[in-house]
Every structure is written in structure tokens, then in C-alpha cells.
């Protein structure tokens, strides 16, 4: 099927019971991650928050402090032992332990997990669990390992790449917490473009690729990744490490001002025959409010559809 006839989608995170978007608006998101309710500044949420929303349970707030800088303000309600569980819904889920992810606050609003990605976690877990053969996954810009661990949990062999040692250490802690220490995961600290070029020279191939590049990133050696400038080259390289019997491909984009069509068209440049699903990953406010918050654009497809 030709990709130009498909329509954009707004994927909603589902099945992640330890996460709730309690409200949004007035430049903030109010969210519950497991035991902690947090409030985080988001400059894009320029509409009104729900008038009756209660902020009584907030344990930590990321907002402009007295210095004028954005920082975290944590109070006595904050539970330091901060973890969330996630159980993908596939055939054998009931017999399996959930994944466990550690969360934490640092200098930025990032707490180590992007809950909207649950839309992809469920999709990829299903693809891997129902595949006819073992799926060998390459996860580029893998961060604290959520997608890598979901893939391993579902039965895949995983190669996880990120340029930050701190992110890789965090991902390994999540691996231990999730009881996946024996799972076949290679943790690689490298610049993604450099790594994929090396894999091409070594004739290594993968059945599935997950690509979650930031709008802008810099590695320990000062090499930068700028989405608008570098993504097309990286996609061309990624195409060269796809195996002859591939399973799936996922890409996200956080680049400001680039639409979902740009994300899809970039992917279609490399795989013009693929039946690409694309659109936005969203979070939905809890039931009584129900508004959608857009988080990033995505394009994904299964090679055999
Ligand atoms: C948007 S986050 C990925 C989020 C993650 N996939 C998740 O769902 O939790 C981007 C990640 O890319 C990493 N990164 C940035 N520039 C990089 C580069 N040039 N090569 C490899 N990793 C890079 C960062 O360290 C960060 O962990």
C-alpha cells in the first residue's frame, strides 16, 4: 500500500496503571507517577487548567524558583523510593513479573521516563511476542532503557545505544529491578551515527529498529546531533543495518515546529512501500477531564504488513 493514503493518528498511552495525567494547562502538567504527584512546567500548555483541580498532594514541583531559574522544589510528601511498574499486555503477561522503572529528579524536568511511550511499548511487545523467530532489536538513543527492557521482556535480543553513561547506568538499574539481568541486552555507550556506521562495516544487521532522537543532543566528546540536520543521514544508515527478514521500525521526533507529516515523510523516503502509521503520541487527562496533551510525533510500521 502506498503511504500517501494513510491518515494521522493520536495514540493514547494505555495500560500504564502507575501513571495518570491529572490535569494540564496554565503552563503546567499535573501528573501521578506511582507514589508521587508532581507538577511540571510546560511552556506549550497555554490554555486553562481545570478550575477545581486540587494540588494538595503535590510532592515535587518543577517551576521557576526565587533565582528565576527552573528547578525542582521537593516537599515532605515526596517518596524517595520512587519506582513505577509496567506490564505489557501480551498472551503470557499474567505469568510474568511487571517491568520496574526507577524515577528521579535532576537538573531538568526529565524524571527518567516518558509515559507517552507506553503506546509504543505495547505495540512492540506484541510484535515481538507473536514473531515467528527471535527479534534482534537495535534501540538508538535508548535513554534509561524502557523500550529496550520492554523488548527484552517480550523475548527480543537487544542492542541499546546511548551517548550518556549516566543514562546507561540508570537503564542497567532498571534491568536489575525488572528481574531481567539474564536477558540478552548489549549496553553501548556511543554516538548513534558513529555506532551505526561501525555496524555497517561489521556487516551486523537487526530485525527491528527503535529511534528516539532528541531535538538536540551532545555526547561526551562534544559531537552534536541536531534533528533537522542529521536525521536524514542517520535514517539512510539505519536502512543498511536492517536484516533480510525484518520485523518493525519506530521513530519519534521532538523537533519543535516539525509536523507529523515531516516525520512520516522522512521514514517514507527510506521505505516508500511501507504501510506507515504516523501522528502524535499523546497523554490523556484522567477521565472526567479528558483532554489530550501532545508529546511528540512518531512514524512506525511492521515490515510484513
Ligand atoms: C529523548 S531521550 C530518549 C527517550 C527514551 N527513548 C525513553 O523513552 O525513555 C534522548 C536520549 O538520546 C541520548 N543522546 C543524545 N544525543 C545522542 C547521540 N548523539 N548519540 C547517542 N545518544 C544520544 C541522550 O543521552 C538521551 O538519553
Amino acid at each position: 500500500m502506498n503511504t500517501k493514503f494513510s491518515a494521522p493518528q493520536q495514540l493514547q498511552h494505555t495500560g500504564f496503571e502507575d501513571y495518570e495525567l491529572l490535569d494540564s494547562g496554565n503552563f503546567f502538567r499535573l501528573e501521578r507517577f506511582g507514589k508521587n504527584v508532581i507538577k511540571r512546567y510546560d511552556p506549550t500548555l497555554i490554555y486553562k487548567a481545570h478550575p477545581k483541580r486540587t494540588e494538595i498532594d503535590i510532592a515535587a514541583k518543577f517551576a521557576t524558583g526565587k533565582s528565576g531559574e527552573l528547578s525542582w522544589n521537593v516537599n515532605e510528601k515526596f517518596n524517595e523510593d520512587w519506582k513505577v511498574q509496567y506490564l505489557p499486555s501480551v498472551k503470557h503477561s499474567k505469568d510474568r513479573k511487571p517491568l520496574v522503572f526507577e524515577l528521579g529528579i535532576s537538573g531538568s524536568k526529565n524524571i527518567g521516563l516518558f509515559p507517552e511511550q507506553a503506546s509504543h511499548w505495547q505495540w512492540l511487545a506484541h510484535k515481538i511476542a507473536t514473531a515467528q523467530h527471535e527479534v534482534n532489536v537495535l534501540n538508538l538513543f535508548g535513554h534509561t532503557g524502557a523500550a529496550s527492557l520492554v523488548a527484552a521482556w517480550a523475548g527480543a535480543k537487544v542492542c541499546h545505544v546511548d551517548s550518556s553513561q549516566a543514562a546507561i547506568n540508570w537503564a542497567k538499574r532498571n534491568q536489575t529491578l525488572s528481574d531481567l539481568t539474564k536477558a540478552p541486552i548489549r549496553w553501548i555507550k556511543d554516538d548513534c551515527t558513529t555506532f551505526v556506521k561501525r555496524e555497517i562495516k561489521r556487516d551486523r544487521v537487526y530485525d527491528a529498529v527503535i529511534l528516539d532522537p532528541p531535538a538536540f543532543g551532545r555526547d561526551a566528546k562534544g559531537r552534536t546531533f541536531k534533528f533537522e540536520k542529521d536525521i536524514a543521514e542517520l535514517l539512510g544508515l539505519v536502512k543498511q543495518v536492517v536484516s533480510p527478514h525484518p520485523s518493525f521500525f519506530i521513530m519519534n521526533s521532538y523537533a519543535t515546529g516539525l509536523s507529523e507529516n515531516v516525520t512520516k515523510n522522512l521514514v517514507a523516503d527510506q521505505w516508500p512501500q511501507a504501510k506507515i502509521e504516523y501522528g502524535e503520541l499523546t497523554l490523556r487527562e484522567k477521565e472526567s477531564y479528558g483532554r489530550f496533551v501532545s508529546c511528540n510525533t512518531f512514524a512506525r510500521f511492521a515490515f510484513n504488513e
Side-chain angles (χ1 to χ4, degrees):
M1 181 179 150
N2 195 309
T3 53
K4 71 183 175 192
F5 297 117
S6 58
Q9 301 182 31
Q10 294 217 322
L11 297 187
Q12 276 180 61
H13 78 288
T14 51
F16 188 5
E17 290 178 8
D18 269 357
Y19 176 79
E20 272 181 301
L21 178 61
L22 303 172
D23 194 9
S24 66
N26 292 355
F27 302 97
F28 282 92
R29 276 195 207 177
L30 187 66
E31 302 164 287
R32 181 183 66 80
F33 283 87
K35 294 174 188 161
N36 287 323
V37 172
I38 62 171
K39 185 173 173 180
R40 290 190 280 181
Y41 176 69
D42 184 331
T44 67
L45 305 182
I46 60 176
Y47 51 85
K48 286 182 188 158
H50 193 272
K52 285 188 187 150
R53 88 172 173 194
T54 166
E55 304 208 348
I56 201 140
D57 293 328
I58 293 173
K61 188 169 169 179
F62 186 74
T64 313
K66 285 183 193 134
S67 63
E69 303 276 314
L70 282 164
S71 61
W72 282 98
N73 191 331
V74 176
N75 65 40
E76 65 292 344
K77 291 187 188 118
F78 187 75
N79 196 318
E80 298 281 349
D81 179 26
W82 197 14
K83 297 184 186 78
V84 288
Q85 295 192 349
Y86 173 75
L87 186 64
S89 169
V90 297
K91 222 172 25 186
H92 53 286
S93 288
K94 287 200 187 86
D95 315 326
R96 303 286 308 277
K97 286 188 191 162
L99 291 136
V100 181
F101 304 125
E102 170 192 306
L103 306 181
I105 54 176
S106 59
S108 76
K109 72 173 166 188
N110 176 9
I111 57 164
L113 198 72
F114 294 82
E116 64 278 8
Q117 297 294 326
S119 307
H120 288 327
W121 302 338
Q122 174 56 33
W123 188 83
L124 72 91
H126 177 74
K127 292 270 179 280
I128 292 166
T130 55
Q132 301 297 315
H133 58 87
E134 186 186 51
V135 181
N136 188 3
V137 176
L138 175 62
N139 185 13
L140 298 173
F141 306 95
H143 198 46
T144 53
S148 293
L149 293 167
V150 170
W153 179 95
K157 197 170 152 188
V158 180
C159 176
H160 169 111
V161 188
D162 198 286
S163 59
S164 154
Q165 188 61 52
I168 291 199
N169 293 344
W170 193 332
K172 288 182 178 169
R173 291 198 297 278
N174 286 336
Q175 179 183 23
T176 305
L177 287 168
S178 299
D179 213 3
L180 287 169
T181 44
K182 294 203 176 101
I185 307 178
R186 281 201 296 154
W187 302 106
I188 310 279
K189 177 186 170 291
D190 205 345
D191 167 66
C192 285
T193 307
T194 311
F195 177 76
V196 177
K197 282 182 182 163
R198 250 190 243 126
E199 293 295 79
I200 294 169
K201 281 198 189 136
R202 291 187 281 233
D203 282 332
R204 289 234 178 96
V205 290
Y206 296 87
D207 307 314
V209 181
I210 304 165
L211 203 56
D212 196 11
F216 179 81
R218 191 189 299 278
D219 74 3
K221 292 184 183 152
R223 281 174 297 207
T224 58
F225 179 90
K226 189 164 190 322
F227 191 87
E228 290 90 332
K229 183 167 80 57
D230 298 316
I231 193 63
E233 182 201 359
L234 180 55
L235 280 169
L237 294 167
V238 162
K239 191 174 183 183
Q240 298 174 55
V241 296
V242 168
S243 76
H245 305 290
S247 178
F248 64 84
F249 174 89
I250 299 174
M251 182 173 89
N252 297 308
S253 161
Y254 303 84
T256 316
L258 296 189
S259 71
E260 57 211 10
N261 282 303
V262 171
T263 306
K264 185 203 69 172
N265 294 343
L266 276 164
V267 174
D269 276 349
Q270 300 300 331
W271 292 281
Q273 299 308 319
K275 188 177 167 190
I276 299 172
E277 274 185 81
Y278 69 103
E280 289 182 337
L281 293 193
T282 68
L283 293 168
R284 191 162 193 193
E285 290 172 343
K286 66 176 187 175
E287 244 165 63
S288 53
Y289 300 178
R291 295 174 300 190
F292 290 86
V293 170
S294 300
C295 299
N296 59 273
T297 66
F298 78 96
R300 70 185 187 189
F301 64 93
F303 282 89
N304 56 2
E305 283 170 9

